[in-house]
Amino acid sequence: MKQQGPIMLSKIIDQANIDHFAKWLTRAEKMVIVSHVSPDGDAIGSSLGLWHFLNSQDKTVNIIVPNAFPDFLKWMPGSKDILLYDRYRDFANKLIAEADVICCLDFNALNRIDAMKEAVKASPARKILIDHHLYPEDFCSIVISHPNISSTSELIFRLICRMGYFEDITKEGAECIYTGMMTDTGGFTYNSNNREIYFIISELLSKGIDKDAIYRKVFNTYSESRLRLMGYVLTQMKTYPEHRAALISLTEKEQNRFNYIRGDSEGFVNIPLSIKNVVLSCFLREDTEKPMIKISLRSVGSFPCNKLAAEFFNGGGHLNASGGEFYGTMEEARKVFEEAIEKYKPLLNARR
Ligand code: 5GP
Ligand code: MN
């Protein structure tokens, strides 16, 4: 049923984009949703939030992501139907090539979807980008890009409501949208001062979601070995008081010692920020698939860790959460980080 959504939300998304996408929807039959490599809660949450809605509109819709997502997201309704490109490449390529519409969620550049890049680029489908990262690349004809909105999942909620389908959001869809909003704000502890977020949560609660249960399912279902790994990593932490920075790291050997599985180090990078005066935290993790070190950066206040990521680690991201890659040894990566904080020392010490 078509009905106007919550009236308390400001109209952040351009009306022209809403109308354009709504028009595509009237004609589209086969739809594909894609999101970024190593999908996080917002990638999976926004994709499933949109997926549940499109299902309610009787579309044939598939979610395809480049590779596996963490176990703590596997309770999400619909997650079993998500296709992993690295496991079902041929089938995924066929879906991408034959889609009427491809929805690109939670990423701003084609290289963020890894091996799927060429297939998505080559597909004759109409493409829409819905994202909150800075500087979107030009590969979609509808671009809904709002870096000041804290999650793509929130944008999905806003889009569905603005098209007039609030009533069609199911409890399952609401759970997925909530999960994305919650994970991209660290449980509403950062990027979460916009009061409209809480209005949206209220609307999602009206669908019957149990937000406290969702918090437990996402944040409190880890293994014992993960907690021991966390203890170990923190014991090894290096701090740089003069730079107000901290560094944690994890080699492949250390990962094996603690029976590391994908997702086990999720959230580690945030922990050093709980030290008084630390404004920048860096986590270096040796990748087990590619010969590289994965960099995660987090900052508090106005320190732009995305700038540091772009300049020193060929990466990017948000002001307070960014990442990149480094091809070399752990020792070399640490040296580059130390060079970077030396260069940014004045900014790290700037009064906030
Ligand atoms: P995480 O530390 O959770 O892996 O990444 C945090 C954020 O940093 C992501 O949401 C994404 O915006 C950005 N990011 C992470 N890795 C990369 C990367 O390799 N390249 C770019 N451009 N951004 C990244
Ligand atoms: Mn996101």
Side-chain angles (χ1 to χ4, degrees):
M1 188 177 58
K2 215 166 167 171
Q3 197 176 327
Q4 189 172 2
I7 48 164
M8 263 182 65
L9 290 179
S10 45
K11 297 189 168 179
I12 285 167
I13 305 173
D14 283 353
Q15 190 61 43
N17 284 336
I18 304 276
D19 295 343
H20 200 163
F21 184 58
K23 205 165 135 194
W24 285 6
L25 272 191
T26 60
R27 281 186 253 144
E29 284 169 20
K30 290 183 266 182
M31 302 186 67
V32 163
I33 298 168
V34 299
S35 195
H36 60 78
V37 67
S38 303
D40 58 6
D42 190 31
I44 298 298
S46 59
S47 296
L48 283 170
L50 182 59
W51 182 83
H52 282 286
F53 167 68
L54 293 174
N55 275 325
S56 77
Q57 307 304 304
D58 297 322
K59 305 296 176 191
T60 300
V61 51
N62 284 281
I63 301 174
I64 310 170
V65 293
N67 58 355
F69 52 91
D71 281 350
F72 62 79
L73 298 174
K74 291 193 175 150
W75 61 271
M76 291 169 78
S79 67
K80 286 178 189 63
D81 289 324
I82 296 176
L83 252 161
L84 306 183
Y85 191 78
D86 62 1
R87 300 225 335 236
Y88 302 99
R89 196 179 180 123
D90 292 344
F91 181 50
N93 278 339
K94 188 167 163 1
L95 291 172
I96 292 168
E98 292 175 357
D100 299 315
V101 171
I102 299 178
C103 306
C104 299
L105 268 49
D106 202 39
F107 66 95
N108 58 351
L110 276 173
N111 64 17
R112 295 279 295 142
I113 53 171
D114 256 21
M116 291 164 62
K117 175 179 170 170
E118 297 307 326
V120 169
K121 203 170 153 185
S123 171
R126 295 185 161 91
K127 291 164 205 163
I128 175 171
L129 180 80
I130 307 169
D131 179 45
H132 67 137
H133 296 89
L134 287 168
Y135 315 124
E137 262 179 23
D138 184 20
F139 61 96
C140 291
S141 42
I142 302 178
V143 177
I144 297 178
S145 168
H146 295 272
N148 53 337
I149 294 296
S150 60
S151 64
T152 299
S153 298
E154 178 180 337
L155 286 172
I156 294 296
F157 180 86
R158 288 174 179 274
L159 175 64
I160 295 171
C161 291
R162 286 282 297 286
M163 290 191 300
Y165 292 105
F166 173 73
E167 293 298 319
D168 286 353
I169 298 178
T170 59
K171 179 185 174 195
E172 289 73 23
E175 286 174 335
C176 298
I177 291 171
Y178 181 79
T179 303
M181 292 174 65
M182 180 187 79
T183 52
D184 253 24
T185 55
F188 307 101
T189 61
Y190 48 78
N191 288 338
S192 53
N193 284 330
N194 180 350
R195 60 193 283 254
E196 293 192 1
I197 289 175
Y198 304 92
F199 180 69
I200 294 173
I201 295 173
S202 168
E203 294 295 313
L204 294 172
L205 286 167
S206 79
K207 300 286 180 180
I209 69 165
D210 182 342
K211 67 179 262 304
D212 303 343
I214 291 175
Y215 184 94
R216 285 195 301 276
K217 283 189 231 183
V218 171
F219 292 121
N220 293 342
T221 54
Y222 290 114
S223 64
E224 178 181 333
S225 60
R226 190 252 187 192
L227 202 65
R228 295 195 187 281
L229 175 69
M230 184 195 285
Y232 170 79
V233 164
L234 295 177
T235 312
Q236 307 295 313
M237 173 180 67
K238 206 168 162 171
T239 57
Y240 304 86
E242 287 177 13
H243 301 80
R244 307 186 11 163
L247 176 73
I248 54 176
S249 64
L250 198 52
T251 62
E252 189 170 358
K253 213 170 142 193
E254 291 165 331
Q255 293 172 39
N256 293 337
R257 203 176 124 195
F258 288 90
N259 303 318
Y260 180 94
I261 57 162
R262 188 194 296 275
D264 269 358
S265 55
E266 190 78 26
F268 283 9
V269 64
N270 294 301
I271 304 172
L273 293 179
S274 63
I275 304 170
K276 192 174 179 180
N277 286 328
V278 167
V279 299
L280 175 66
S281 169
C282 177
F283 177 39
L284 306 175
R285 185 179 56 80
E286 222 168 57
D287 201 272
T288 47
E289 285 158 24
K290 287 194 232 164
M292 60 133 178
I293 312 277
K294 182 71 206 164
I295 322 289
S296 280
L297 293 162
R298 297 291 185 276
S299 67
V300 284
S302 58
F303 184 79
C305 64
N306 49 357
K307 259 180 85 177
L308 192 153
E311 194 177 334
F312 288 88
F313 294 112
N314 196 27
H318 313 273
L319 184 81
N320 295 129
S322 63
E325 297 177 350
F326 181 80
Y327 289 81
T329 65
M330 184 62 87
E331 192 56 23
E332 286 162 354
R334 187 174 61 79
K335 287 219 174 84
V336 171
F337 175 70
E338 288 172 357
E339 254 172 63
I341 57 173
E342 186 57 30
K343 176 170 177 187
Y344 280 93
K345 196 173 176 182
L347 207 51
L348 286 162
N349 282 292
R351 275 209 315 147
R352 287 171 299 130

mmCIF file of all heavy atoms in Angstrom, residues 40 42-43 106 132-133 150-152 184 318, ligand 2:
data_model
loop_
_atom_site.group_PDB
_atom_site.id
_atom_site.type_symbol
_atom_site.label_atom_id
_atom_site.label_comp_id
_atom_site.label_asym_id
_atom_site.label_seq_id
_atom_site.Cartn_x
_atom_site.Cartn_y
_atom_site.Cartn_z
ATOM 1 N N ASP A 40 30.394 -5.037 5.665
ATOM 2 C CA ASP A 40 30.190 -4.785 7.093
ATOM 3 C C ASP A 40 28.685 -4.714 7.379
ATOM 4 O O ASP A 40 27.858 -4.980 6.501
ATOM 5 C CB ASP A 40 30.919 -3.508 7.517
ATOM 6 C CG ASP A 40 30.457 -2.289 6.732
ATOM 7 O OD1 ASP A 40 29.495 -2.397 5.929
ATOM 8 O OD2 ASP A 40 31.041 -1.206 6.913
ATOM 9 N N ASP A 42 26.659 -2.265 7.720
ATOM 10 C CA ASP A 42 25.885 -1.330 6.901
ATOM 11 C C ASP A 42 25.742 -1.834 5.471
ATOM 12 O O ASP A 42 24.695 -1.659 4.847
ATOM 13 C CB ASP A 42 26.554 0.054 6.933
ATOM 14 C CG ASP A 42 25.679 1.138 6.312
ATOM 15 O OD1 ASP A 42 24.435 1.019 6.395
ATOM 16 O OD2 ASP A 42 26.238 2.091 5.745
ATOM 17 N N ALA A 43 26.791 -2.462 4.943
ATOM 18 C CA ALA A 43 26.715 -3.027 3.588
ATOM 19 C C ALA A 43 25.613 -4.086 3.537
ATOM 20 O O ALA A 43 24.741 -4.069 2.661
ATOM 21 C CB ALA A 43 28.059 -3.633 3.187
ATOM 22 N N ASP A 106 26.532 1.494 -0.454
ATOM 23 C CA ASP A 106 27.581 1.651 0.561
ATOM 24 C C ASP A 106 29.005 1.626 0.002
ATOM 25 O O ASP A 106 29.928 1.222 0.699
ATOM 26 C CB ASP A 106 27.409 0.595 1.677
ATOM 27 C CG ASP A 106 28.095 1.018 2.976
ATOM 28 O OD1 ASP A 106 28.048 2.211 3.323
ATOM 29 O OD2 ASP A 106 28.694 0.160 3.643
ATOM 30 N N HIS A 132 27.166 6.869 1.329
ATOM 31 C CA HIS A 132 27.499 8.006 2.200
ATOM 32 C C HIS A 132 29.014 8.234 2.316
ATOM 33 O O HIS A 132 29.482 8.766 3.326
ATOM 34 C CB HIS A 132 26.846 7.837 3.576
ATOM 35 C CG HIS A 132 27.387 6.696 4.383
ATOM 36 N ND1 HIS A 132 27.652 6.807 5.722
ATOM 37 C CD2 HIS A 132 27.731 5.439 4.034
ATOM 38 C CE1 HIS A 132 28.115 5.643 6.165
ATOM 39 N NE2 HIS A 132 28.169 4.806 5.164
ATOM 40 N N HIS A 133 29.761 7.790 1.304
ATOM 41 C CA HIS A 133 31.200 8.088 1.289
ATOM 42 C C HIS A 133 31.469 9.304 0.408
ATOM 43 O O HIS A 133 30.742 9.539 -0.555
ATOM 44 C CB HIS A 133 31.991 6.889 0.758
ATOM 45 C CG HIS A 133 31.887 5.685 1.648
ATOM 46 N ND1 HIS A 133 30.900 4.745 1.507
ATOM 47 C CD2 HIS A 133 32.626 5.309 2.704
ATOM 48 C CE1 HIS A 133 31.039 3.824 2.449
ATOM 49 N NE2 HIS A 133 32.073 4.139 3.191
ATOM 50 N N SER A 150 24.861 9.163 8.395
ATOM 51 C CA SER A 150 25.826 8.257 9.026
ATOM 52 C C SER A 150 25.799 6.832 8.509
ATOM 53 O O SER A 150 26.730 6.079 8.763
ATOM 54 C CB SER A 150 25.659 8.278 10.545
ATOM 55 O OG SER A 150 24.358 7.866 10.863
ATOM 56 N N SER A 151 24.773 6.439 7.776
ATOM 57 C CA SER A 151 24.794 5.076 7.225
ATOM 58 C C SER A 151 23.997 5.017 5.928
ATOM 59 O O SER A 151 23.070 5.813 5.709
ATOM 60 C CB SER A 151 24.204 4.073 8.223
ATOM 61 O OG SER A 151 22.838 4.362 8.450
ATOM 62 N N THR A 152 24.375 4.062 5.085
ATOM 63 C CA THR A 152 23.606 3.831 3.859
ATOM 64 C C THR A 152 22.234 3.272 4.220
ATOM 65 O O THR A 152 21.237 3.558 3.562
ATOM 66 C CB THR A 152 24.372 2.866 2.936
ATOM 67 O OG1 THR A 152 25.626 3.480 2.605
ATOM 68 C CG2 THR A 152 23.608 2.592 1.655
ATOM 69 N N ASP A 184 27.233 1.175 11.839
ATOM 70 C CA ASP A 184 28.032 2.266 11.274
ATOM 71 C C ASP A 184 28.205 3.445 12.237
ATOM 72 O O ASP A 184 28.959 4.369 11.954
ATOM 73 C CB ASP A 184 27.442 2.757 9.942
ATOM 74 C CG ASP A 184 28.287 2.307 8.754
ATOM 75 O OD1 ASP A 184 29.010 1.302 8.893
ATOM 76 O OD2 ASP A 184 28.243 2.963 7.682
ATOM 77 N N HIS A 318 35.925 7.776 5.655
ATOM 78 C CA HIS A 318 35.270 8.910 6.326
ATOM 79 C C HIS A 318 36.270 9.678 7.187
ATOM 80 O O HIS A 318 37.359 9.201 7.470
ATOM 81 C CB HIS A 318 34.148 8.419 7.224
ATOM 82 C CG HIS A 318 33.241 7.425 6.580
ATOM 83 N ND1 HIS A 318 32.143 7.782 5.836
ATOM 84 C CD2 HIS A 318 33.272 6.070 6.554
ATOM 85 C CE1 HIS A 318 31.535 6.705 5.391
ATOM 86 N NE2 HIS A 318 32.202 5.643 5.806
HETATM 87 MN MN MN B 2 28.387 2.488 5.506
#
